[in-house]
Amino acid sequence: MIPKTQPFEACVRFYEGCLGLPVWWVKPDICCLRFGSGYLMVERLDVAASAAKSVAQNPTVLRFHVPDIEAASAHLHARGVAVRVQSFDWGTIAAFVDPDGNPCELAEVWPEA
């Protein structure tokens, strides 16, 4: 996933500081962060979103599996991130957006089937 964003520095701080993704490399207007066995690249764009993006604007949700959704949600909330926890018959998620309105979620790691 490559979020192209106007609040570039805010998004890099969010993914590195709030979500704990380590920076892999940085070049002008682009930052690449480690994300499991892959990476998340944040690229500067000249247009800012004013609120959470619609599905039409960004149909992708970046989901982070965590061992304790309540603790992870509290961690984000303590850093000023609005998190909405929802329970379903298949599990629990915590939805939030990055500084540019891109949708993200936490989900508890499910046991192997």
Side-chain angles (χ1 to χ4, degrees):
M1 180 175 161
I2 303 177
K4 293 186 178 196
T5 181
Q6 192 275 332
F8 175 76
E9 290 84 4
C11 281
V12 171
R13 281 192 309 272
F14 177 81
Y15 286 110
E16 181 184 18
C18 289
L19 298 180
L21 299 183
V23 172
W24 184 13
W25 53 263
V26 179
K27 293 183 179 182
D29 298 330
I30 196 164
C31 178
C32 193
L33 302 106
R34 294 277 186 191
F35 182 46
S37 60
Y39 61 89
L40 175 71
M41 190 176 291
V42 179
E43 186 175 344
R44 186 181 310 272
L45 185 66
D46 293 332
V47 180
S50 59
K53 292 180 179 176
S54 70
V55 173
Q57 292 170 304
N58 184 355
T60 303
V61 175
L62 187 59
R63 183 174 282 174
F64 299 86
H65 286 254
V66 295
D68 183 342
I69 200 162
E70 293 300 326
S73 296
H75 171 84
L76 292 178
H77 182 73
R79 284 159 179 76
V81 179
V83 179
R84 184 172 45 105
V85 177
Q86 299 173 280
S87 294
F88 302 94
D89 59 351
W90 48 264
T92 303
I93 62 168
F96 57 99
V97 296
D98 75 5
D100 195 37
N102 296 301
C104 301
E105 294 176 351
L106 303 175
E108 286 187 349
V109 177
W110 297 292
E112 294 292 324

